Amino acid sequence: MNKVTSKKTTYIVTSALFASIICLTILHIPVGGNNGYVHIGDAFIYLAATILPTNYAIAASAIGAGLADLSTGAAIWVIPTIIIKPILVLFFTSKSDKIINKRNIVASVVAGIVGLVLYMFAEGIIIGSFTSAFVMSLLGLLQPIGSFIVFIILGMALDKLDFKKRYFN
């Protein structure tokens, strides 16, 4: 197998692994009365975005988070999720040797805010009231805060192990 095929295979397998982790990492804390829930899988979306090329991280985030919604009875959120989660990936960089760097720290904050606003907008459409969606979305602040903390902890641990240099260079 040549080096290009091997690298592509590594990216595909890693994307599938991230999609499954994102799907299965369900710290399922119900939020509001609309089948919404806090899903700490966003931390793994952030990790995928800092490790994989953008197109692979986008696929992992859409598939993993979409399947999480589908498998937890939150099917009404599948379409918004497969649109919103890939957008969060776009703020990160995978070009650095380190997962935790200034851009990715800022990106995790921005992604948390953008995700919260986009889900608030989607909820406003679904329930027909943007005022109610805004009030209920304030509870959703737990998700970006928790995801940020888990992302930083895991990213620092992987950086200490030189994970990206060892497996992706």
Side-chain angles (χ1 to χ4, degrees):
M1 190 181 299
N2 66 34
K3 192 171 186 164
V4 172
T5 304
S6 176
K7 194 165 205 136
K8 199 173 207 178
T9 302
T10 300
Y11 289 148
I12 291 169
V13 169
T14 306
S15 298
L17 180 63
F18 269 113
S20 63
I21 291 170
I22 291 162
C23 177
L24 296 174
T25 309
I26 301 171
L27 175 59
H28 196 105
I29 302 169
V31 176
N34 59 358
N35 284 339
Y37 62 95
V38 172
H39 182 232
I40 207 75
D42 282 8
F44 292 96
I45 290 173
Y46 302 169
L47 280 174
T50 61
I51 292 171
L52 295 166
T54 304
N55 54 337
Y56 292 95
I58 284 172
S61 68
I63 293 167
L67 287 173
D69 283 350
L70 199 58
S71 66
T72 58
I76 194 167
W77 291 102
V78 172
I79 299 298
T81 292
I82 63 175
I83 294 168
I84 294 169
K85 296 303 185 184
I87 292 170
L88 306 184
V89 168
L90 301 176
F91 300 107
F92 294 86
T93 183
S94 62
K95 306 232 185 293
S96 172
D97 284 339
K98 296 289 185 183
I99 293 168
I100 302 300
N101 57 44
K102 286 181 188 176
R103 177 176 171 164
N104 290 337
I105 291 171
V106 170
S108 62
V109 172
V110 172
I113 293 167
V114 168
L116 188 67
V117 169
L118 290 175
Y119 272 106
M120 181 177 54
F121 181 72
E123 186 167 15
I125 291 170
I126 290 168
I127 66 173
S129 170
F130 288 99
T131 304
S132 296
F134 175 76
V135 171
M136 288 193 292
S137 291
L138 292 177
L139 296 171
L141 279 171
L142 293 172
Q143 183 159 328
I145 293 168
S147 294
F148 173 81
I149 292 167
V150 171
F151 166 69
I152 296 297
I153 291 169
L154 292 176
M156 288 171 52
L158 291 172
D159 281 345
K160 285 215 183 275
L161 297 171
D162 281 331
F163 180 79
K164 285 184 74 172
K165 282 184 187 177
R166 288 183 181 197
Y167 298 104
F168 290 94
N169 282 342

